[in-house]
């Protein structure tokens, strides 16, 4: 205690605080105490109080802004020597082969009973009014849904057999200068297009469960020559006249982890043309909660497409799962338009029953108008592809003769139409998918204010108004320590004086002093 007495021998706590504040590095505050005239002291007091209030107000606004978790988007163009080639899904616009329907008595009868032949859409004269066209569309949609309902009651094996087969459609495949074949394609069944096939899906099996090439394919050069080249036989001779009104292929480019939905996305590739699709990759990164995007990686969100197709989380998959869940809960069945859970707890919806049909149509309407109460946040990571589509006649007049000879050598259905240039152009599609350049656009969401930004901004504001710095904070910390030591010193001085007044404490102290004197 002897060492501590010298610096803290002050008479009052007020004097201690005054000594520290008069010499603080904070601007303005010492002038309040240094001013000798009362008017100057008053002006400095008002000014310092105003500056402190402004600093506190702006700091509170800064803290409130920080806890609102603002963000901004940063856009960069990232160059790369190698890019992962996306998955490319193709579907024939005709879902069921005519020859397969004719062999299946049930489906042939269903097609006749559905009324598609009587209600199919056709070109009307100029005298027809809008009301007739709307009624015609409604009747056609009802007839198509009736046939589709019967078709989707079949097993997956029956659906696969009745649809178009990749072995019949694919006549040429080349990727990055290397030959490819049907072993590079997986598949799935789409309710609208039937059998669909995905190139470079990185899945281990094809549509029938046979092993395929699951190796990831990359691109090291950009341009038309280094992409995917496909020549497809769309088999218009197998089109169902009253059900399919357009001929060609539906093509969709997507990431391998995403479930393709060709009925809502993609482009149509017409026959008799070479369609070139140049693509630019766009990679999006979003921030999770508490930031405004509230994105997710799909954890704890129900996804039937993940269970059935091993697909990752997307917002569309979530909404379709939500729609299927609503139909299961309120209609007591699973609708063929959406993926169903693995556990067959509910039967397939039979739309021939009026009650079931009305219930399903209600929730289809709610799904189409986004009226379902679904929790489907944006994905935190998303890959999109911006497409540039162009086309030219294929095969050309000078090439069609050689192409006809190649078709004759192949045999099968293609050899039947090989002698007719018009039929060749009506039945064959060529498509080229390639990267326009070896870079991609990165759109990344970043916090607008971090903890370091908050501290720096608050330090700047306080320094601007009252000149506070880290050194000033240390000075006030020193003041706090001095105040604690001041009270500690007073307490230690009070204890001996109290003990000296107690009779029981006087005798031992007297003996202790006597012994000291004796030794001396």
């Amino acid at each position: 205690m002897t060492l501590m007495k010298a610096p803290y021998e002050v008479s009052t706590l007020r004097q201690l605080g005054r000594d520290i504040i008069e010499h603080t590095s904070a601007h303005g505050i010492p002038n309040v105490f240094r001013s000798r005239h009362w008017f100057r002291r008053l002006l400095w007091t008002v000014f310092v109080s105003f500056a402190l209030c402004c600093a506190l107000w702006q700091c509170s606004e800064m803290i409130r802004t920080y806890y609102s978790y603002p963000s901004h988007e940063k856009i960069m163009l990232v160059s790369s020597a190698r890019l992962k080639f996306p998955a490319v899904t193709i579907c024939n616009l005709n879902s069921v082969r005519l020859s397969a329907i004719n062999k299946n008595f049930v489906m042939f009868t269903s097609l006749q009973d559905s009324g598609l032949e009587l209600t199919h859409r056709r070109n009307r004269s100029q005298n027809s009014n809008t009301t007739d066209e709307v009624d015609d569309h409604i009747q056609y949609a009802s007839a198509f849904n009736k046939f589709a309902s019967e078709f989707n009651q079949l097993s997956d094996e029956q659906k696969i057999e009745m649809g178009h087969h990749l072995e019949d459609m694919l006549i040429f495949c080349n990727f990055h200068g290397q030959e490819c074949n049907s072993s590079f394609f997986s598949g799935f069944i789409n309710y609208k297009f039937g059998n669909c096939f995905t190139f470079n899906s990185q899945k281990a099996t094809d549509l029938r469960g046979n092993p395929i090439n699951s190796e990831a394919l990359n691109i090291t050069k950009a341009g038309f020559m280094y992409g995917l080249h496909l020549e497809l036989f769309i088999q218009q001779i197998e089109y169902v006249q009253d059900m399919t009104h357009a001929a060609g292929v539906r093509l969709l480019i997507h990431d391998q982890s995403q479930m393709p939905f060709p009925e809502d996305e993609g482009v149509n590739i017409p026959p008799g043309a070479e369609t070139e699709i140049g693509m630019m990759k766009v990679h999006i990164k979003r921030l999770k909660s508490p930031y405004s995007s509230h994105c997710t990686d799909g954890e704890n969100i129900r996804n039937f497409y993940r269970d059935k197709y091993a697909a990752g989380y997307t917002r569309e998959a979530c909404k379709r799962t939500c729609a299927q869940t609503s139909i299961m809960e309120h209609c007591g069945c699973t609708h063929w338009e959406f993926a169903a859970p693995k556990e067959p707890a509910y039967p397939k919806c039979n739309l021939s029953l009026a009650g079931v049909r009305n219930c399903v149509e209600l929730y289809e309407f709610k799904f189409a108008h986004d009226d379902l109460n679904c929790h489907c946040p944006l994905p935190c990571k998303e890959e999109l592809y911006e497409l540039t589509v162009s086309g030219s006649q294929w095969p050309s007049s000078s090439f069609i003769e050689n192409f006809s000879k190649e078709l004759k050598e192949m045999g099968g259905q293609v050899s039947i139409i090989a002698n007719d240039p018009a039929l060749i152009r009506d039945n064959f599609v060529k498509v080229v998918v390639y990267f326009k350049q070896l870079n991609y656009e990165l759109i990344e969401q970043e916090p607008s204010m971090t903890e370091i930004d908050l501290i720096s901004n608050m330090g700047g504001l306080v320094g601007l108004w009252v000149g506070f710095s880290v050194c000033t904070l240390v000075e006030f910390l020193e003041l706090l320590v001095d105040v604690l030591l001041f009270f500690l010193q007073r307490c230690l001085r009070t204890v001996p004086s109290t003990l000296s007044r107690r009779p029981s404490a006087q005798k031992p102290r007297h003996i202790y002093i006597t012994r000291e004197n004796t030794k001396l």
Side-chain angles (χ1 to χ4, degrees):
M1 293 302 299
T2 304
L3 295 174
M4 297 172 59
K5 283 182 180 180
Y8 298 99
E9 287 181 348
V10 291
S11 58
T12 62
L13 183 63
R14 179 181 178 183
Q15 182 63 35
L16 176 65
R18 186 183 182 94
D19 291 341
I20 297 294
I21 293 176
E22 283 184 354
H23 299 89
T24 183
S25 59
H27 307 320
I29 296 178
N31 294 326
V32 176
F33 299 93
R34 294 173 188 168
S35 300
R36 296 182 180 181
H37 195 276
W38 67 269
F39 185 70
R40 288 188 177 182
R41 187 180 295 112
L42 177 63
L43 289 179
W44 274 111
T45 303
V46 172
F47 176 75
V48 170
S49 300
F50 173 76
L52 282 172
C53 290
C54 289
L56 290 174
W57 166 62
Q58 292 192 358
C59 286
S60 64
E61 289 293 319
M62 190 69 63
I63 293 173
R64 189 172 66 176
T65 301
Y66 171 77
Y67 281 104
S68 67
Y69 300 102
S71 63
H72 63 273
E73 283 70 36
K74 180 178 69 174
I75 302 177
M76 296 187 299
L77 191 64
V78 182
S79 298
S80 176
R82 181 187 299 266
L83 283 179
K84 181 182 71 173
F85 198 77
V88 179
T89 295
I90 55 173
C91 307
N92 199 314
L93 295 183
N94 181 67
S95 58
V96 185
R97 291 181 295 118
L98 181 61
S99 60
I101 292 180
N102 292 334
K103 293 178 182 179
N104 190 312
F105 177 77
V106 175
M107 294 309 303
F108 178 80
T109 306
S110 175
L111 179 63
Q112 300 299 319
D113 295 342
S114 65
L116 278 169
E117 183 178 359
L118 300 176
T119 60
H120 73 277
R121 288 179 292 183
R122 55 189 178 273
N123 295 327
R124 290 179 174 270
S125 63
Q126 296 180 355
N127 296 328
S128 62
N129 54 48
T130 305
T131 304
D132 293 336
E133 293 178 359
V134 172
D135 292 341
D136 186 58
H137 174 72
I138 294 174
Q139 291 176 4
Y140 174 81
S142 176
F144 177 80
N145 285 335
K146 184 177 180 181
F147 173 78
S149 178
E150 293 292 335
F151 175 74
N152 283 278
Q153 296 294 329
L154 302 175
S155 64
D156 287 347
E157 291 75 13
Q158 291 174 309
K159 293 178 187 176
I160 294 172
E161 186 60 33
M162 296 187 70
H164 291 269
H165 301 156
L166 183 63
E167 295 79 9
D168 300 328
M169 292 178 58
L170 186 64
I171 63 172
F172 177 79
C173 177
N174 185 282
F175 175 75
H176 209 296
Q178 300 294 324
E179 185 179 352
C180 52
N181 51 41
S182 59
S183 65
F184 286 75
F185 290 79
S186 65
F188 63 96
I189 303 172
N190 182 266
Y191 79 95
K192 185 174 182 180
F193 297 110
N195 296 338
C196 291
F197 309 96
T198 303
F199 175 82
N200 191 34
S201 66
Q202 297 183 13
K203 290 183 169 56
T205 58
D206 63 4
L207 189 59
R208 294 185 175 88
N210 300 319
I212 60 172
N213 183 9
S214 59
E215 180 184 358
L217 301 178
N218 299 309
I219 285 290
T220 55
K221 287 189 177 181
F224 175 87
M225 298 297 297
Y226 303 100
L228 173 65
H229 295 246
L230 296 175
E231 293 179 9
L232 303 169
F233 176 42
I234 64 173
Q235 298 177 292
Q236 275 213 61
I237 55 178
E238 292 281 9
Y239 275 36
V240 180
Q241 177 182 358
D242 303 316
M243 185 172 65
T244 307
H245 302 129
V249 170
R250 187 76 162 179
L251 185 142
L252 174 62
I253 300 173
H254 56 93
D255 185 67
Q256 282 81 1
S257 63
Q258 296 178 358
M259 181 65 197
F261 297 105
E263 65 273 25
D264 295 329
E265 304 166 348
V267 293
N268 283 350
I269 309 299
E274 178 181 286
T275 303
E276 301 174 7
I277 301 177
M279 55 185 176
M280 176 79 175
K281 178 181 174 181
V282 180
H283 187 75
I284 302 175
K285 291 183 179 180
R286 301 183 179 92
L287 293 172
K288 291 187 176 182
S289 184
Y291 291 93
S292 58
S293 62
H294 298 290
C295 69
T296 181
D297 291 325
E299 60 272 10
N300 302 322
I301 295 181
R302 201 174 188 183
N303 185 1
F304 293 154
Y305 293 90
R306 178 183 57 215
D307 301 337
K308 187 172 183 178
Y309 301 105
Y313 173 82
T314 60
R315 202 174 190 185
E316 185 65 21
C318 175
K319 290 182 178 181
R320 289 172 179 270
T321 300
C322 177
Q324 183 72 286
T325 303
S326 300
I327 292 174
M328 289 162 54
E329 292 176 353
H330 297 90
C331 306
C333 60
T334 58
H335 189 26
W336 37 263
E337 189 173 333
F338 311 108
K342 285 186 175 181
E343 303 79 13
Y346 296 89
K348 294 181 180 179
C349 294
N350 186 358
L351 299 187
S352 61
L353 302 176
V356 175
R357 182 173 63 253
N358 294 335
C359 180
V360 170
E361 288 178 352
L362 172 63
Y363 285 95
E364 278 188 320
F365 177 85
K366 289 185 176 182
F367 169 75
H369 292 79
D370 205 16
D371 287 339
L372 295 173
N373 186 21
C374 301
H375 175 65
C376 294
L378 292 168
C380 292
K381 293 182 179 180
E382 188 175 10
E383 287 192 352
L384 306 175
Y385 294 89
E386 295 180 350
L387 307 182
T388 302
V389 182
S390 60
S392 58
Q393 186 188 55
W394 180 86
S396 64
S397 300
S398 58
F399 174 67
I400 197 166
E401 184 177 350
N402 292 333
F403 187 64
S404 175
K405 294 178 181 179
E406 295 177 6
L407 297 179
K408 291 177 182 178
E409 295 175 358
M410 293 181 184
Q413 287 184 337
V414 294
S415 62
I416 300 175
I417 62 174
N419 293 321
D420 191 337
L423 288 178
I424 291 176
R425 289 198 174 99
D426 284 344
N427 283 274
F428 288 92
V429 167
K430 183 172 183 179
V431 59
V432 182
V433 181
Y434 62 95
F435 277 108
K436 294 188 290 184
Q437 47 193 353
L438 279 182
N439 51 38
Y440 63 94
E441 186 178 8
L442 175 62
I443 303 176
E444 187 173 9
Q445 189 179 26
E446 292 184 338
S448 296
M449 185 182 295
T450 63
E451 292 84 354
I452 296 176
D453 295 331
L454 175 64
I455 295 172
S456 301
N457 292 340
M458 290 179 62
L461 289 172
V462 175
L464 172 68
W465 287 104
V466 291
F468 269 52
S469 64
V470 177
C471 295
T472 309
L473 294 177
V474 174
E475 291 173 0
F476 280 93
L477 180 62
E478 182 186 16
L479 174 61
L480 177 62
V481 173
D482 289 344
V483 170
L484 293 176
L485 292 175
F486 176 82
F487 283 108
L488 179 61
Q489 190 178 42
R490 293 193 62 178
C491 291
L492 291 176
R493 287 179 178 178
T494 304
V495 172
S497 62
T498 305
L499 292 174
S500 63
R501 289 193 293 269
R502 293 175 57 188
S504 59
Q506 292 177 0
K507 187 174 181 180
R509 185 176 182 182
H510 178 72
I511 294 171
Y512 178 77
I513 295 173
T514 303
R515 288 179 180 177
E516 282 187 345
N517 293 334
T518 303
K519 289 181 179 181
L520 291 171

